[in-house]
Amino acid sequence: MFASGTQKNHWMFTGPEEIDLLRQEANERFVNEFGKNMDEDHRKAHFLLPEEEKLLMRHFEFILREFCKKFQPSMPKYVLRFYIHNSLMDFHPRDLMLTCVYLACKVEEFNVSIGQFVGNLKGDREKFANIILGFELLLMDKLHYHLTVHNPFRPLEGFLIDLKTRYFKNKAEDVERLRRNAEDFVDRSLATETCLLFSPSQIALAGIIHSAGEEGISLDNYVTGVLMQGTTNEEVKKMASQIKRIKYLVKNQPSLQRELIGPVQRKLEPCRNQANNPESEIYKRRLEEMFEEEEEERSRKRQKLMEEERAAERALIGIP
Amino acid sequence: MHHSQPPTSHPGGGPIRQTNRHEDLDFPFCPDSGKYEKLAKIGQGTFGEVFKARDRKTKQVVAMKKVLMENEKEGFPITALREIKILQQLKHENVVNLIEICRTKATPYNRYKSTFYLIFEFCEHDLAGLLSNANVMFSLGEIKKVMQQLLNGLYYIHSNKILHRDMKAANILITKMGILKLADFGLARALSHISKYTNRVVTLWYRPPELLLGERNYGPPIDIWGAGCIMAEMWTRSPIMQGKTEQHQLQLISQLCGSIKPEVWPGCDKLEMYNKLEVPDGQKRKVKERLKPYVKDQYALDLLDKLLCLDPSKRIDSDSALDSAFFWEDPPPQDVSRMLAQHSTSMFEYLAPPRRPQGAGRPQMPIQVRPNQNMDQHFERVF
Ligand SMILES: Nc1ncnc2c1ncn2[C@@H]1O[C@H](COP(=O)(O)OP(=O)(O)O)[C@@H](O)[C@H]1O
Ligand SMILES: [Mg+2]
């Protein structure tokens, strides 16, 4: 279903450069909007730079991966998609991340209520619930309602079965030995841009090959002789270079540079879009306005009903 | 209060708001529901209303299914989420096409007030509406065409590991060109999410015996049972087993398909409700015999008999059903577009009078396990 789904059409990019560019554009849009009256130097000092957004994004990707392990590592990582077209300054990744995982739980049929979900979190649970439910619709919107995310775990299972039946006949244990490292590889790939660049089955294959390498097993003959049997040399070469790129991307994730995170996070606070900050005055005011508006509308309706009733009564007793 | 202003459209299709303008620059998708002009209400479902509407710009006619957000303590309703997710994966001539999702306004503050719409390709009729109109007459060839498309749709969704779980005539749409579309995936589930399903799915009259007996590990055969009920309905013109309660439904099933017992359905006695509900004993299977007065075609009766098989593991699957003689013997399946062309108005269940020609207002006889001779009498009334 991957081949015909929304993922291939909307959420696959040509390379890290394209993703960087889109994120840079999101950053620029935000700065242009909120820094209208600032000069270039002031803007640089006040807003997150694209590199700083990237750094923070990586930090949250890591947290997300750990957080998802509590549920199921294969669950969709909507955060990655969300921040391709949105700046971290517009929506704080902390808020969005929770929302993403909650939505993913629903999509994956985990059957957790919002109460149970925030029950897993430390801190003000009611506040978390409000944040999550407040951002959920917006998140779905920004994801264009593309909720299905195909992950490499299923194709990985397919490769393992294929290896057992077509290549390592009678040596099922050997194949099972490949599983752990391959799954770990796939898991690591999920919190990176790799899944925005390569198809789930390519990533799964890279995972198997990586794992085999660790075990000192060569799968070259399997890939060229069995898997890609009947394809042209050209295609085999292309596949090999893709696998190499995936392995490179997953294995060479830049280290987190924790000492840099703190300052960037502090820089984020004053430049955020306060209208999307549930803690801010303006957010609370708008929420109130919304309720007031509803109340006004209700009282208008009540008023109208009462007038109608009164008119009806008057008509009944013959007063014009 | 920017969020209370009437939405306007820009060339990209999305709403422009006074503040946060940058948010929308990227999103030509997710348009405002103001893009469509409502023409008429055509359905009132469990979860919301359905409207016939027209794209103001392209003039394309669509169906808008409302998703109510009021009183949603868990956020976006999971049923709508499933329907969206599943329909995005299904693209087939015999499955209704989801065009897009629309919403009224989008800010984090107005979640209780926002309304979502699922926008579908418009189909002129639903099968319940057609069957309730006595002027709409299906020939044998046309019934074959309807059933062939229905089973084709089921074959497609089942091979994509999706269960529909709400087969009934009102959820079967037919375009004026005679193309059948399975619709209403609000209860549908992916088989890959197998754990233990709830067995409280499928409208009672179309609910298969395994669900009534509490099976939670069910599969595609539940939709096939519904297909059998719908097929019979093509001739009887109203649902063939209109139970009042689960117990009653089980009784009606036994009267038609014979007693439910381990000899015909090994393992049925292990199901949770087998001993809790009264399972009528001593009933003979009379599917063909009972339906014969309505269904004259022998091949049709053969197929009905296989679709309405008590044991889900022995019930025919859509693939084999499509291979059955019914579809290959004369007369061949015949397009229904010509017949439909004689009718200029849309027919929907919502717009039709209740489909109970006989006994609609009469009090129901109390249902008990009766001696056999009374069964016939009861049976007559149900048809
Ligand atoms: N695409 C459509 N074209 C025409 N009518 C439709 C369409 N979708 C739904 N309807 C009508 O609306 C009714 C209710 O829609 P449905 O999807 O079944 O919602 P519910 O879950 O509320 O039953 C259907 O029985 C049918 O009459
Ligand atoms: Mg319906």
Side-chain angles (χ1 to χ4, degrees):
Chain A
M1 273 191 268
F2 172 77
S4 66
T6 54
Q7 184 161 340
K8 190 172 162 224
N9 298 332
H10 299 275
W11 300 104
M12 292 292 274
F13 303 90
T14 53
E17 305 75 25
E18 188 185 358
I19 295 174
D20 282 349
L21 191 68
L22 288 167
R23 286 183 177 164
Q24 213 169 312
E25 283 170 7
N27 175 282
E28 234 167 72
R29 275 198 305 274
F30 186 89
V31 173
N32 287 340
E33 168 84 17
F34 287 83
K36 276 192 195 101
N37 308 317
M38 295 181 195
D39 62 33
E40 200 52 32
D41 286 342
H42 189 184
R43 282 180 172 196
K44 275 200 179 124
H46 182 69
F47 295 110
L48 295 190
L49 306 171
E51 311 84 86
E52 291 172 322
E53 287 209 43
K54 202 169 169 180
L55 184 90
L56 211 52
M57 187 64 213
R58 245 188 335 260
H59 171 66
F60 278 99
E61 277 165 6
F62 179 79
I63 296 180
L64 175 69
R65 192 179 146 216
E66 294 302 305
F67 188 57
C68 285
K69 278 189 183 155
K70 278 193 191 172
F71 296 92
Q72 184 185 303
S74 68
M75 69 198 306
K77 310 281 191 291
Y78 297 131
V79 173
L80 300 185
R81 291 181 174 186
F82 182 87
Y83 284 112
I84 287 177
H85 298 291
N86 297 285
S87 165
L88 276 72
M89 295 180 280
D90 214 350
F91 301 94
H92 200 292
R94 196 182 43 220
D95 300 337
L96 248 296
M97 203 177 71
L98 290 177
T99 313
C100 285
V101 179
Y102 178 64
L103 181 62
C105 282
K106 286 210 298 202
V107 169
E108 296 288 299
E109 307 275 0
F110 288 174
N111 269 328
V112 279
S113 69
I114 185 75
Q116 289 167 323
F117 185 82
V118 297
N120 280 319
L121 306 172
K122 288 189 208 90
D124 184 345
R125 290 173 180 161
E126 201 183 313
K127 189 184 88 187
F128 287 136
N130 279 327
I131 291 177
I132 291 169
L133 297 179
F135 283 114
E136 185 191 29
L137 303 181
L138 186 132
L139 169 66
M140 290 175 63
D141 229 24
K142 301 273 185 189
L143 295 171
H144 316 326
Y145 302 92
H146 299 155
L147 304 172
T148 303
V149 178
H150 298 279
N151 66 58
F153 284 101
R154 213 189 280 182
L156 178 63
E157 214 50 52
F159 282 129
L160 290 172
I161 292 170
D162 193 51
L163 275 170
K164 282 182 206 168
T165 51
R166 292 206 292 171
Y167 197 64
F168 289 111
K169 292 177 196 137
N170 317 323
K171 283 195 283 186
E173 320 81 64
D174 280 4
V175 176
E176 276 309 308
R177 261 183 24 225
L178 298 181
R179 179 188 293 276
R180 245 197 58 171
N181 275 327
E183 280 180 350
D184 186 56
F185 181 95
V186 163
D187 182 30
R188 265 189 292 161
S189 80
L190 286 180
T192 71
E193 290 162 10
T194 320
C195 53
L196 300 170
L197 302 171
F198 297 94
S199 77
S201 59
Q202 287 172 325
I203 298 174
L205 184 59
I208 294 262
I209 292 172
H210 158 80
S211 176
E214 302 272 289
E215 296 283 330
I217 303 170
S218 166
L219 290 181
D220 288 357
N221 288 337
Y222 168 71
V223 176
T224 53
V226 180
L227 207 56
M228 301 207 58
Q229 196 185 16
T231 52
T232 62
N233 241 349
E234 208 59 14
E235 285 171 303
V236 173
K237 250 191 229 150
K238 197 173 146 209
M239 167 73 106
S241 92
Q242 280 171 337
I243 299 289
K244 221 179 261 167
R245 277 183 68 204
I246 296 172
K247 286 208 288 191
Y248 179 84
L249 281 173
V250 174
K251 283 200 250 174
N252 294 291
Q253 290 173 43
S255 57
L256 274 177
Q257 300 176 281
R258 280 174 210 282
E259 65 289 355
L260 296 182
I261 305 286
V264 177
Q265 256 176 331
R266 279 191 294 280
K267 189 178 175 190
L268 173 60
E269 282 313 317
C271 69
R272 297 175 61 176
N273 177 0
Q274 294 302 326
N276 290 330
N277 176 7
E279 304 280 316
S280 75
E281 283 311 310
I282 173 162
Y283 185 97
K284 288 175 189 157
R285 203 167 56 238
R286 292 219 177 135
L287 201 61
E288 254 166 47
E289 277 171 7
M290 200 270 298
F291 284 120
E292 275 165 20
E293 200 182 296
E294 210 157 65
E295 186 50 42
E296 270 169 35
E297 204 170 297
R298 236 180 273 136
S299 71
R300 255 200 311 276
K301 272 188 197 156
R302 260 201 307 270
Q303 187 92 29
K304 200 170 152 230
L305 260 173
M306 257 157 60
E307 274 163 22
E308 278 170 9
E309 272 170 24
R310 229 174 283 145
E313 275 168 22
R314 272 200 229 112
L316 201 67
I317 49 178
I319 304 172
Chain B
M1 278 176 275
H2 68 286
H3 46 275
S4 63
Q5 280 164 356
T8 45
S9 276
H10 64 83
I16 288 187
R17 272 170 265 133
Q18 302 264 294
T19 57
N20 296 355
R21 190 173 298 227
H22 61 284
E23 265 179 28
D24 296 304
L25 287 177
D26 265 327
F27 301 98
F29 315 89
C30 317
D32 195 279
S33 55
K35 175 178 171 190
Y36 297 98
E37 169 192 6
K38 284 181 189 161
L39 302 174
K41 181 170 165 181
I42 52 174
Q44 172 68 62
T46 0
F47 303 110
E49 302 160 292
V50 182
F51 298 92
K52 178 180 181 178
R54 184 167 52 205
D55 188 318
R56 290 180 199 275
K57 217 180 284 147
T58 67
K59 304 295 173 205
Q60 183 189 12
V61 177
V62 299
M64 296 175 85
K65 183 167 168 176
K66 199 169 178 174
V67 179
L68 279 181
M69 284 296 295
E70 265 168 64
N71 308 321
E72 284 297 341
K73 292 185 182 59
E74 302 291 322
F76 194 81
I78 186 106
T79 47
L81 210 57
R82 279 186 194 135
E83 187 159 12
I84 293 172
K85 184 182 68 172
I86 286 172
L87 283 168
Q88 278 172 348
Q89 296 172 48
L90 300 175
K91 294 287 166 229
H92 188 266
E93 173 163 58
N94 299 122
V95 174
V96 70
N97 182 31
L98 176 67
I99 299 171
E100 63 183 2
I101 320 287
C102 274
R103 63 184 294 186
T104 40
K105 311 161 212 163
T107 68
Y109 326 110
N110 69 355
R111 67 181 154 105
Y112 294 110
K113 284 174 87 188
S114 59
T115 307
F116 283 77
Y117 289 96
L118 275 57
I119 311 292
F120 294 100
E121 220 172 293
F122 181 72
C123 303
E124 281 73 11
H125 315 281
D126 72 36
L127 192 55
L130 289 173
L131 291 175
S132 66
N133 186 334
N135 297 319
V136 176
M137 279 169 289
F138 289 95
S139 69
L140 180 58
E142 286 163 349
I143 291 178
K144 289 185 185 185
K145 189 72 182 185
V146 167
M147 284 311 296
Q148 195 172 43
Q149 296 184 76
L150 193 153
L151 289 164
N152 258 328
L154 281 183
Y155 176 75
Y156 172 77
I157 70 165
H158 290 163
S159 33
N160 279 291
K161 308 234 179 307
I162 302 289
L163 298 183
H164 185 281
R165 306 203 305 180
D166 197 13
M167 291 295 286
K168 61 176 179 186
N171 291 337
I172 308 293
L173 307 178
I174 298 189
T175 69
K176 67 168 190 270
M177 298 310 290
I179 307 296
L180 176 147
K181 313 264 180 188
L182 300 181
D184 195 354
F185 285 72
L187 280 175
R189 282 292 288 271
L191 269 165
S192 61
H193 286 127
I194 274 191
S195 48
K196 286 212 163 170
Y197 300 129
T198 165
N199 55 8
R200 298 203 59 84
V201 291
V202 187
T203 308
L204 187 59
W205 297 345
Y206 299 82
R207 204 177 293 167
E210 66 267 30
L211 290 184
L212 289 164
L213 290 179
E215 175 68 271
R216 283 162 185 280
N217 195 12
Y218 51 80
I222 66 161
D223 291 336
I224 296 290
W225 178 272
C229 295
I230 292 169
M231 179 169 168
E233 208 172 319
M234 293 301 296
W235 284 277
T236 63
R237 306 292 293 213
S238 56
I240 56 167
M241 292 178 278
Q242 307 184 11
K244 300 262 173 296
T245 60
E246 301 191 359
Q247 171 69 63
H248 184 205
Q249 191 67 28
L250 213 51
Q251 205 158 355
L252 296 178
I253 291 175
S254 304
Q255 284 159 13
L256 183 66
C257 304
S259 291
I260 301 172
K261 50 189 179 194
E263 291 91 89
V264 295
W265 175 1
C268 68
D269 51 332
K270 306 283 186 316
L271 292 171
E272 192 187 325
M273 302 304 290
Y274 188 80
N275 292 316
K276 294 190 187 145
L277 287 175
E278 222 173 298
V279 186
D281 200 14
Q283 296 287 337
K284 258 182 60 203
R285 185 171 176 86
K286 296 177 192 153
V287 175
K288 293 189 191 180
E289 195 183 323
R290 300 277 198 197
L291 290 172
K292 206 169 200 153
Y294 303 87
V295 186
K296 306 284 190 286
D297 185 71
Q298 188 55 45
Y299 301 110
L301 290 168
D302 289 343
L303 178 55
L304 277 163
D305 196 40
K306 290 175 184 149
L307 293 167
L308 293 173
C309 171
L310 287 173
D311 182 350
S313 69
K314 294 204 279 286
R315 204 171 296 152
I316 194 169
D317 63 13
S318 42
D319 196 23
S320 321
L322 285 164
D323 279 340
S324 70
F326 178 59
F327 296 111
W328 304 102
E329 293 292 336
D330 276 338
Q334 191 192 348
D335 225 78
V336 289
S337 58
R338 284 252 307 281
M339 183 272 283
L340 291 175
Q342 301 162 16
H343 305 277
S344 54
T345 53
S346 264
M347 283 164 263
F348 293 112
E349 183 184 50
Y350 174 70
L351 304 170
R355 264 197 307 164
R356 287 238 34 205
Q358 65 287 70
R362 255 191 277 150
Q364 287 298 318
M365 282 203 267
I367 310 299
Q368 295 154 10
V369 183
R370 295 155 205 248
N372 262 342
Q373 65 264 30
N374 285 349
M375 286 304 169
D376 292 53
Q377 185 193 339
H378 176 68
F379 195 81
E380 282 302 317
R381 204 163 51 79
V382 167
F383 267 26

